[in-house]
Amino acid sequence: MIKREQYMRRLRPFIGNDPIKVLTGIRGSGKSVMLDLIKEELISSGISDAQFITFNFEAMKNSHLCTAEALYREIIQQTAEINGKVYLFFDEIQEVVNWERCINSFRVELDCDIYITGSNAKLLSGELATYLAGRYIEFIIYPFSFGEFRELYTSVFPAANPAQAFREYLTAGGMPYLANLRYAREPCRQYLEALYDSVVLKDIVKRNNVRDVDLLERIIAYITANVGTPFSATSITKFFKSEGRTVSSETVLNYIRYCLDAYLFYRVKRQDLQGKQILTTNEKYYIADHGIREAVFGGNMRDINLILENIVFMELLRREYTVTVGKSAEREIDFICEKQNQKLYIQVTYLLASEDTIHREFGVYDTIRDNFPKYVVSMDEIDMSRNGIKHRNIREFLLSEKWE
């Protein structure tokens, strides 16, 4: 089991303390494993596992506890038999109706430390979430970074070098469970297809009462095929109209929002670098795990430029950057990344295979006059840095602890 220190480092100051720890992210990204890692941390600090109470609400055996009242009664009964502080772990809490009521009651009535997971971004945005306002801290858990993937992949294939691991990562993606399948191509594909179906049916269709599932799947397919490509809801409606299907932009926007809430996609706004404003049209979308894209829709190697961009974008989220797409005159910078007082620019391409490509990728920075770091990231092995702009091989870039 990978220790996922990037997340544990953020969680550690809150372990054993008052705020409710909320772990969210796409289904299958490793939230349940994070709960196990937190338990290990607690045990290593001297806490007995007899003080732990754990429920996964997607397990059939716990279906009778999926109301706030039933869960409250069960926890009060179990905690009566435990001496000292109680550590409560609730996996996929969104399955419990009015779960915020009982969680808030536990916080008030018990000497406890609470950890919950959920697969929806709206977990804490509903009316009932006012019960917990200011009393929780949220952590988004993403699929494996390339660094995490490589660590597990080389435990299965010790002779694999970083280049071999990265080639596998391009198609397999970062879902943690794939290591249990020893990265065998067909079982991994079947698992990712089943995971995708589960996200669509449980976290999008069921949660939002989607009636036109065919339309939803068509919208998902369109976005997936066009990751990293600017488009609007209007462009999707025009696409469907060309196929003889009429759909409103409002419906398209609603269905996209459901996908964002389920962490299937992430939306990136565009920033006008000259006008210093955020643009609200032709946003970009990226998929949470490019392995799902390959398993369900295929084409990762054909669209490798987009996949590399997707991989870099997800790494930026893991490192807690706020990301926008930069528009400067007629040129576009893939990512403007900001965190606290840090800022950097990143341009992603497959290969710098010609002078025209080199001029295009480095030339996007011509109008940027500040002194923040500027990168061009590609698959090339030779360093082509120039004019103060840093060129990095994508493997090395992803594995770097710091970008300066």
Side-chain angles (χ1 to χ4, degrees):
M1 183 165 60
I2 285 186
K3 298 303 181 183
R4 307 207 80 173
E5 184 59 24
Q6 189 176 32
Y7 300 107
M8 290 304 300
R9 195 163 47 242
R10 298 172 200 158
L11 275 159
R12 208 166 272 125
F14 301 97
I15 292 177
N17 293 328
D18 285 340
I20 298 164
K21 276 65 70 177
V22 182
L23 280 60
T24 58
I26 189 172
R27 184 178 295 270
S29 61
K31 300 185 295 294
S32 301
V33 172
M34 289 302 306
L35 295 184
D36 292 337
L37 290 171
I38 292 166
K39 291 175 187 176
E40 284 186 3
E41 190 93 3
L42 287 164
I43 290 171
S44 69
S45 70
I47 304 299
S48 168
D49 61 4
Q51 295 169 256
F52 300 162
I53 297 177
T54 304
F55 287 106
N56 183 334
F57 295 106
E58 288 205 320
M60 195 67 186
K61 65 180 180 179
N62 296 324
S63 60
H64 66 293
L65 299 175
C66 286
T67 65
E69 294 77 10
L71 180 59
Y72 175 81
R73 288 193 298 270
E74 178 70 21
I75 295 300
I76 294 299
Q77 180 180 335
Q78 289 199 27
T79 54
E81 302 170 5
I82 298 175
N83 293 321
K85 192 166 193 169
V86 180
Y87 297 82
L88 304 175
F89 299 88
F90 300 125
D91 212 350
E92 300 296 350
I93 192 70
Q94 75 273 355
E95 299 299 322
V96 178
V97 178
N98 293 343
W99 61 269
E100 296 96 333
R101 293 181 185 276
C102 61
I103 294 296
N104 189 54
S105 290
F106 300 151
R107 186 191 62 79
V108 172
E109 298 176 30
L110 302 175
D111 180 13
C112 64
D113 186 21
I114 303 174
Y115 302 83
I116 64 178
T117 80
S119 300
N120 194 280
K122 298 300 183 186
L123 190 70
L124 288 154
S125 64
E127 184 179 336
L128 286 173
T130 55
Y131 279 93
L132 306 180
R135 302 185 180 102
Y136 68 87
I137 184 163
E138 185 176 11
F139 303 87
I140 301 176
I141 309 301
Y142 301 100
F144 278 166
S145 66
F146 173 56
E148 291 173 316
F149 175 89
R150 188 187 66 154
E151 183 179 340
L152 264 191
Y153 189 76
T154 52
S155 73
V156 177
F157 303 104
N161 60 39
Q164 291 169 324
F166 190 69
R167 281 196 297 271
E168 186 68 24
Y169 186 60
L170 285 171
T171 53
M175 283 300 178
Y177 188 77
L178 300 188
N180 296 331
L181 303 173
R182 298 184 62 83
Y183 299 102
R185 191 63 52 89
E186 187 57 23
C188 286
R189 184 189 63 78
Q190 292 174 346
Y191 167 76
L192 291 171
E193 283 184 345
L195 178 64
Y196 166 79
D197 289 342
S198 185
V199 170
V200 172
L201 293 174
K202 291 185 178 180
D203 300 325
I204 301 177
V205 173
K206 179 183 174 184
R207 186 174 181 87
N208 299 287
N209 297 314
V210 173
R211 295 182 179 179
D212 196 338
V213 178
D214 177 68
L215 175 62
L216 171 68
E217 290 182 337
R218 286 171 180 264
I219 291 171
I220 292 173
Y222 183 94
I223 297 173
T224 302
N226 291 281
V227 292
T229 304
F231 61 83
S232 64
T234 303
S235 63
I236 297 180
T237 59
K238 288 180 179 177
F239 170 75
F240 285 135
K241 188 174 182 179
S242 71
E243 292 193 332
R245 177 157 191 170
T246 301
V247 57
S248 70
S249 294
E250 182 181 1
T251 299
V252 170
L253 287 170
N254 284 336
Y255 282 15
I256 291 175
R257 188 178 72 250
Y258 300 157
C259 294
L260 297 174
D261 290 346
Y263 296 102
L264 180 60
F265 299 116
Y266 290 87
R267 177 167 50 205
V268 187
K269 294 184 179 297
R270 295 163 69 235
Q271 180 180 164
D272 186 337
L273 295 174
Q274 294 175 326
K276 306 294 184 183
Q277 61 182 346
I278 298 297
L279 305 174
T280 57
T281 59
N282 291 336
E283 298 154 326
K284 286 188 175 185
Y285 294 83
Y286 294 94
I287 192 166
D289 180 67
H290 57 280
I292 292 177
R293 184 186 194 271
E294 174 67 21
V296 178
F297 301 98
N300 278 14
M301 298 311 294
R302 181 191 65 233
D303 302 325
I304 188 166
N305 209 70
L306 299 179
I307 298 306
L308 296 178
E309 200 175 302
N310 203 111
I311 289 170
V312 170
F313 171 73
M314 291 305 299
E315 184 65 19
L316 290 167
L317 293 189
R318 290 185 193 93
R319 300 193 187 201
E320 299 184 283
Y321 282 96
T322 298
V323 185
T324 53
V325 174
K327 181 181 181 297
S328 180
E330 298 304 313
R331 294 176 170 176
E332 190 170 270
I333 298 169
D334 289 332
F335 302 122
I336 302 172
C337 323
E338 299 180 78
K339 180 170 63 173
Q340 298 167 354
N341 294 322
Q342 302 176 55
K343 186 175 184 178
L344 48 97
Y345 303 90
I346 302 173
Q347 189 72 5
V348 184
T349 191
Y350 173 36
L351 291 171
L352 296 168
S354 68
E355 281 301 319
D356 286 345
T357 305
I358 293 170
H359 179 74
R360 182 183 71 241
E361 300 300 332
F362 284 84
V364 297
Y365 296 124
D366 286 349
T367 59
I368 310 299
R369 303 302 182 192
D370 63 40
N371 294 318
F372 291 111
K374 300 170 183 66
Y375 287 94
V376 173
V377 177
S378 74
M379 293 278 285
D380 297 280
E381 304 287 346
I382 300 172
D383 188 345
M384 301 185 193
S385 300
R386 61 190 64 197
N387 302 326
I389 300 166
K390 303 171 185 179
H391 171 245
R392 293 289 183 271
N393 171 270
I394 189 167
R395 297 190 312 274
E396 296 173 2
F397 185 76
L398 295 170
L399 295 174
S400 298
E401 287 190 16
K402 290 184 178 180
W403 299 324
E404 299 174 344

